[in-house]
Amino acid sequence: MMHRPPLEEFALKETNPHLGGGKVSGDKLTSTYDLVEQMQYLYVRVVKAKDLPGKDVTGSCDPYVEVRLGNYLGKTRFFEKKSNPEWNQVFAFSKDRLQASVLEVTVKDKDVVKDDFIGKVLFDLNEIPKRVPPDSPLAPQWYRLEDRLGNKVKGELMLAVWMGTQADEAFPEAWHSDAAAVSGADGLANIRSKVYLSPKLWYLRVNVIEAQDLQPGDKGRYPEVFVMAILGNQALRTRISPVRGINPMWNEDLMFVAAEPFEEPLILSVEDRVAPNKDEVLGKCAIPLQYVDRRLDHKPVTSRWYNLGKHVIIEGEKKKETKFSSRIHMRICLEGGYHVLDESTHYSSDLRPTAKQLWKSKIGVLELGILNAHGLMPMKTKDGRGTTDAYCVAKYGQKWVRTRTISDSFAPKWNEQYTWEVFDPCTVITIGVFDNCHLHGGDKAGGAKDSKIGKVRIRLSTLETDRVYTHSYPLLVLHPNGVKKMGEIHLAVRFTCSSLLNMMHMYSHPLLPKMHYLHPLTISQLDSLRHQATQIVSMRLGRAEPPLRKEVVEYMLDVGSHMWSMRRSKANFFRIMNVLGALIAVGKWFDQICNWKNPITTVLIHILFIILVLYPELILPTIFLYLFLIGVWYYRWRPRHPPHMDTRLSHADSSHPDELDEEFDTFPTSRPSDIVRMRYDRLRSIAGRIQTVVGDLATQGERLQSLISWRDPRATALFVIFCLVAAIVLYVTPFQVVALLAGFYILRHPRFRHKLPSVPLNFFRRLPARTDSML
């Protein structure tokens, strides 16, 4: 069953922008900033002033500088009582919005009633020099101040004025005329473009072995002892020790996520279950993570005894006993061989282990040009009219980037370019568009949240190398009243590969590091650890300046995407039907042959059948040759666009309002009756698991389909070449030999089996499925 093509409104559009000032021709690599349209800016760097005259009664001066171009006005900060101030601030005026032919730079003295005029410098825009990186920055010069009539006055101002593009080093730190309406230092910090790095995450394994010489409060009973471990906001506990008494044993593993720098210690408390809801603390210890062993594989770490301190209350004050009588035996280590999962597995942008020494060399470079957006919806009201202050966030690997905010525009132009190193082609870059609600001290105004406008996901393996993809992507968001297009974002993407051989070789490697296969973590462990990792990442990025807020990070990391929804389950069911549809079509075709619907085809099949029965050695080469020919045949219909969210595939445009109401319902449900709530939540959690299994089945089937669909050009090329080689090898090798070898290989002794997945399995797991296009 083939899906109808998506509605034109929700489809991807190929574009032909004027990239790099027209330097990008076809797929050629030219300059360093060539994936965006060049934007011209007038830059003014206000460095410092000297010998400014005092204007106040006291004879002192509180100077600041105004940079005015037409209606646009930028101001530096002011200094109290300083006649030789240093500002070193940059102002950028977009050439598209220039409304005057003269640039006016005025020095003023801040006053309570009216600011006094000290002097000014004028520049004719036609006389301003052009600067193109990699030219050296323009040296600032001293200019004598003039009064309003053009006469020289006391005081000098050091300035640099030039015309440049967004490739200029001054661009990210500059005050922009685009944001002239933004007020306050906080607001200005919130509009700048920034690069963020995710914190380095480790799995912390705490193996609690035993404790000795515990001192329970009640000596007359056997204590029921367990260990509570706390790291930041993560708390885990062991089971109650099966060995009752003052020397309990557990030998239990607890897993945490820890982030560098390690700010908080691991706190362990040994507790006694005195009554059903009452625990008595028998001893505590705090272990700083800086001194914990790190390991790259599963080699045993030396265990250590830790002293347990006990809190006693003396006259209502909490004091720590100095003597340590009880001890706890533990094995603690930071696991460097695992990749700490902090994003949805389907859309992983990084699969490297934590320890840097285990990283393989990079295979290429990903370049992203965030050009512009158009047709954005008004996201909030200001002065009685709808407005949007849009910015983009892109995430790949540990590097997050945020473009500057373009205020009050439904068609913002960013034209910013970013680069990432690529270590694995089977990864996904995510680009999200948000509305900035913190331009005017939004933090104080009722804790406003940045609203999501939509996101785009691009899987690198679906891109041809060295080709520049310029497409306009629809920004789709699911609301309780249905799917809504919030506008379109225009991107330019190029994936450059340093060695094609290295990249082809990657397809034989396991997706995740070795440790995930040799000593796997359980599904429930991975789920809780992923939750902790996303919490840590969003907390750390929320503390950056300007902050990348929790709602933004969670939307980018797909937090909550595993929740049950009738719409997703239905979509996954139809994905499976689509895959099975091909088998059903083959069955119908065979039925037609049996019924002699087309006598010529049936006679040809009879002849082929007789040949294959008489010469069974031709069966396998024929199948592989057919697959090779079909793969080559499909090459001319290979997809030319990157995949994008498909509303039909996601059943987003045909969902019943009640189903959407259920999808946007709170968890637990907001239904009034307690019984209904309990049953409803149980149904959703069970159905969520079924949904995942159904989705995974669909993914496997779609990977089979993608073998010859050229969705991943390199994988299909490898498979098609393999089919040709297999056809030739199987043709010259006697069938009986092949059958014997295959049989012996399948029935081989466990001693000859490797714990890591085989090369064909690794190759298969790396193939793209349609999960990327799921909304």
Side-chain angles (χ1 to χ4, degrees):
M1 179 189 116
M2 289 300 288
H3 275 290
R4 293 166 294 170
L7 294 166
E8 189 56 39
E9 187 192 357
F10 298 144
L12 213 61
K13 298 182 186 77
E14 191 151 11
T15 61
N16 192 14
H18 192 64
L19 298 185
K23 292 186 198 123
V24 174
S25 50
D27 300 342
K28 288 200 178 78
L29 235 145
T30 53
S31 76
T32 51
Y33 220 78
D34 62 345
L35 282 191
V36 287
E37 295 178 334
Q38 274 195 4
M39 294 171 79
Q40 297 292 324
Y41 284 89
L42 168 66
Y43 288 100
V44 182
R45 184 184 287 279
V46 180
V47 185
K48 57 186 174 182
K50 67 178 179 186
D51 306 332
L52 296 179
K55 288 282 181 183
D56 293 349
V57 184
T58 56
S60 64
C61 173
D62 305 335
Y64 71 92
V65 175
E66 272 186 3
V67 182
R68 185 185 291 276
L69 187 62
N71 287 339
Y72 291 110
L73 175 70
K75 290 182 184 179
T76 66
R77 58 194 179 281
F78 80 94
F79 288 99
E80 278 191 33
K81 299 186 171 70
K82 205 166 185 187
S83 57
N84 297 320
E86 281 197 30
W87 294 282
N88 204 17
Q89 278 178 258
V90 183
F91 297 84
F93 297 88
S94 171
K95 196 177 177 186
D96 295 349
R97 298 191 184 184
L98 294 187
Q99 304 163 320
S101 58
V102 175
L103 169 72
E104 198 174 307
V105 183
T106 313
V107 184
K108 289 192 173 181
D109 176 24
K110 193 156 186 69
D111 217 333
V112 183
V113 186
K114 187 173 185 289
D115 297 350
D116 293 318
F117 172 88
I118 294 175
K120 65 178 181 180
V121 182
L122 298 178
F123 293 91
D124 184 345
L125 294 197
N126 299 322
E127 303 295 320
I128 288 170
K130 275 201 167 79
R131 179 201 166 226
V132 182
D135 293 356
S136 301
L138 199 69
Q141 295 177 27
W142 285 107
Y143 292 90
R144 284 286 300 274
L145 295 177
E146 300 174 353
D147 63 15
R148 288 193 171 95
L149 301 170
N151 303 315
K152 297 278 187 270
V153 294
K154 191 185 175 195
E156 289 183 64
L157 186 60
M158 184 182 262
L159 294 171
V161 182
W162 72 96
M163 293 296 290
T165 66
Q166 75 270 42
D168 207 291
E169 296 87 7
F171 181 77
E173 61 183 85
W175 171 96
H176 283 274
S177 56
D178 295 343
V182 177
S183 58
D186 289 349
L188 281 170
N190 267 311
I191 63 162
R192 292 219 167 107
S193 55
K194 274 282 181 277
V195 173
Y196 305 82
L197 286 178
S198 288
K200 189 176 184 183
L201 300 176
W202 295 78
Y203 283 144
L204 175 73
R205 193 186 291 270
V206 181
N207 178 224
V208 185
I209 304 168
E210 59 183 328
Q212 267 185 9
D213 305 328
L214 297 179
Q215 297 180 337
D218 181 3
K219 301 280 195 287
R221 57 180 276 282
Y222 280 116
E224 297 182 23
V225 187
F226 64 91
V227 175
M228 174 72 83
I230 297 171
L231 181 65
N233 62 353
Q234 307 168 70
L236 292 175
R237 43 173 288 181
T238 65
R239 66 189 188 284
I240 288 171
S241 167
V243 179
R244 299 290 172 91
I246 59 165
N247 296 326
M249 290 187 75
W250 296 274
N251 200 20
E252 198 173 325
D253 269 3
L254 303 175
M255 294 287 284
F256 295 92
V257 177
E260 285 186 18
F262 303 119
E263 293 168 344
E264 291 154 327
L266 173 70
I267 296 165
L268 289 132
S269 60
V270 181
E271 301 184 20
D272 178 13
R273 175 61 49 88
V274 183
N277 287 321
K278 193 180 173 206
D279 303 321
E280 181 195 357
V281 177
L282 303 181
K284 269 191 174 186
C285 70
I287 300 156
L289 299 186
Q290 289 89 326
Y291 312 114
V292 167
D293 290 336
R294 301 178 182 198
R295 66 176 183 184
L296 308 181
D297 46 28
H298 214 64
K299 282 179 185 152
V301 177
T302 48
S303 59
R304 282 180 58 190
W305 286 94
Y306 296 88
N307 293 324
L308 291 169
K310 198 173 179 190
H311 290 281
V312 287
I313 292 167
I314 304 166
E315 297 167 9
E317 285 181 33
K318 215 175 190 188
K319 294 199 175 175
K320 212 175 192 181
E321 270 188 358
T322 47
K323 67 174 197 286
F324 298 102
S325 53
S326 315
R327 302 191 304 164
I328 185 166
H329 189 199
M330 289 187 301
R331 194 177 274 118
I332 303 177
C333 67
L334 288 160
E335 299 276 14
Y338 289 93
H339 167 69
V340 181
L341 295 158
D342 63 341
E343 49 197 345
S344 169
T345 350
H346 292 308
Y347 314 122
S348 283
S349 64
D350 187 15
L351 301 160
R352 292 171 293 171
T354 303
K356 230 172 183 167
Q357 50 268 57
L358 295 178
W359 290 4
K360 294 186 169 62
S361 55
K362 69 169 187 174
I363 57 153
V365 170
L366 170 67
E367 293 164 283
L368 171 71
I370 300 171
L371 301 170
N372 53 54
H374 53 92
L376 296 185
M377 298 294 234
M379 299 301 290
K380 53 182 179 270
T381 51
K382 187 177 137 195
D383 305 331
R385 63 185 181 84
T387 178
T388 299
D389 306 316
Y391 67 93
C392 292
V393 174
K395 189 243 190 258
Y396 183 77
Q398 292 175 335
K399 178 174 158 186
W400 297 65
V401 300
R402 168 187 178 143
T403 66
R404 67 194 192 286
T405 300
I406 308 289
S407 62
D408 196 9
S409 172
F410 300 133
K413 287 185 179 180
W414 292 287
N415 282 307
E416 294 182 30
Q417 185 169 338
Y418 298 97
T419 308
W420 285 267
E421 288 186 333
V422 177
F423 293 85
D424 193 315
C426 301
T427 45
V428 173
I429 180 170
T430 307
I431 302 106
V433 187
F434 300 89
D435 175 45
N436 198 332
C437 295
H438 297 83
L439 296 188
H440 306 280
D443 287 327
K444 292 130 194 159
K449 287 187 171 183
D450 289 355
S451 335
K452 51 183 189 272
I453 299 176
K455 71 178 160 197
V456 174
R457 287 188 288 252
I458 301 169
R459 184 173 290 272
L460 271 57
S461 65
T462 61
L463 304 175
E464 292 173 19
T465 44
D466 298 331
R467 178 182 161 194
V468 178
Y469 286 84
T470 51
H471 288 87
S472 195
Y473 295 79
L475 295 166
L476 307 173
V477 175
L478 198 66
H479 290 288
N481 54 356
V483 71
K484 195 172 179 186
K485 182 176 170 182
M486 309 295 285
E488 291 188 11
I489 183 168
H490 192 187
L491 302 174
V493 185
R494 176 171 52 209
F495 173 34
T496 317
C497 158
S498 44
S499 160
L500 194 63
L501 208 63
N502 272 359
M503 181 149 59
M504 295 298 204
H505 184 51
M506 283 301 296
Y507 281 88
S508 67
H509 287 246
L511 263 175
L512 290 163
K514 277 184 193 175
M515 288 288 281
H516 286 269
Y517 304 101
L518 301 178
H519 301 279
L521 302 169
T522 64
I523 298 290
S524 57
Q525 254 181 333
L526 281 172
D527 274 353
S528 70
L529 290 169
R530 181 186 281 117
H531 174 69
Q532 290 304 337
T534 54
Q535 293 297 309
I536 289 170
V537 170
S538 69
M539 192 180 72
R540 286 283 176 92
L541 293 176
R543 277 164 43 190
E545 187 54 51
L548 205 54
R549 291 184 165 74
K550 189 172 190 246
E551 62 271 18
V552 172
V553 176
E554 290 190 346
Y555 182 59
M556 295 292 287
L557 292 177
D558 277 295
V559 173
S561 62
H562 60 281
M563 292 289 279
W564 154 258
S565 119
M566 180 67 87
R567 177 188 64 81
R568 272 201 206 100
S569 298
K570 211 194 303 183
N572 284 334
F573 173 74
F574 282 110
R575 281 169 65 203
I576 283 190
M577 291 308 293
N578 194 18
V579 170
L580 296 176
L583 293 174
I584 293 162
V586 169
K588 284 180 179 172
W589 173 75
F590 189 68
D591 189 53
Q592 285 176 351
I593 284 164
C594 295
N595 290 322
W596 290 75
K597 289 277 171 71
N598 188 337
I600 298 164
T601 312
T602 308
V603 169
L604 287 172
I605 291 293
H606 273 78
I607 295 164
L608 181 67
F609 176 66
I610 292 161
I611 293 168
L612 293 180
V613 167
L614 294 177
Y615 303 100
E617 63 271 18
L618 290 177
I619 294 171
L620 285 173
T622 305
I623 291 169
F624 279 109
L625 194 61
Y626 273 16
L627 285 171
F628 168 74
L629 291 171
I630 292 166
V632 171
W633 179 252
Y634 277 143
Y635 178 74
R636 60 170 138 172
W637 292 294
R638 67 195 183 282
R640 300 298 289 161
H641 303 331
H644 185 56
M645 277 82 164
D646 187 334
T647 50
R648 285 245 165 84
L649 179 73
S650 312
H651 281 255
D653 58 349
S654 60
S655 290
H656 192 274
D658 187 53
E659 289 172 8
L660 288 171
D661 176 59
E662 181 188 46
E663 187 167 341
F664 282 90
D665 188 14
T666 52
F667 190 84
T669 172
S670 50
R671 299 291 178 273
S673 164
D674 287 346
I675 300 161
V676 172
R677 179 176 295 172
M678 185 264 294
R679 288 176 182 170
Y680 187 46
D681 290 347
R682 186 174 59 198
L683 171 70
R684 290 171 84 187
S685 62
I686 291 166
R689 289 177 203 167
I690 295 167
Q691 167 186 304
T692 306
V693 171
V694 169
D696 287 347
L697 281 170
T699 298
Q700 305 314 322
E702 285 166 359
R703 281 177 178 157
L704 269 174
Q705 279 184 328
S706 70
L707 273 172
I708 49 174
S709 73
W710 296 93
R711 177 75 279 170
D712 177 345
R714 285 159 292 276
T716 305
L718 280 172
F719 180 70
V720 166
I721 291 161
F722 167 76
C723 288
L724 180 62
V725 172
I728 295 163
V729 169
L730 292 168
Y731 182 78
V732 298
T733 313
F735 180 74
Q736 290 85 343
V737 175
V738 174
L740 272 174
L741 289 174
F744 284 138
Y745 178 75
I746 291 161
L747 300 169
R748 71 193 184 284
H749 192 271
R751 184 181 297 170
F752 301 111
R753 293 178 191 272
H754 203 274
K755 274 194 174 181
L756 288 178
S758 63
V759 169
L761 198 57
N762 291 333
F763 179 84
F764 182 75
R765 281 178 179 162
R766 287 169 164 279
L767 292 166
R770 300 193 74 192
T771 43
D772 302 356
S773 304
M774 284 289 287
L775 191 67

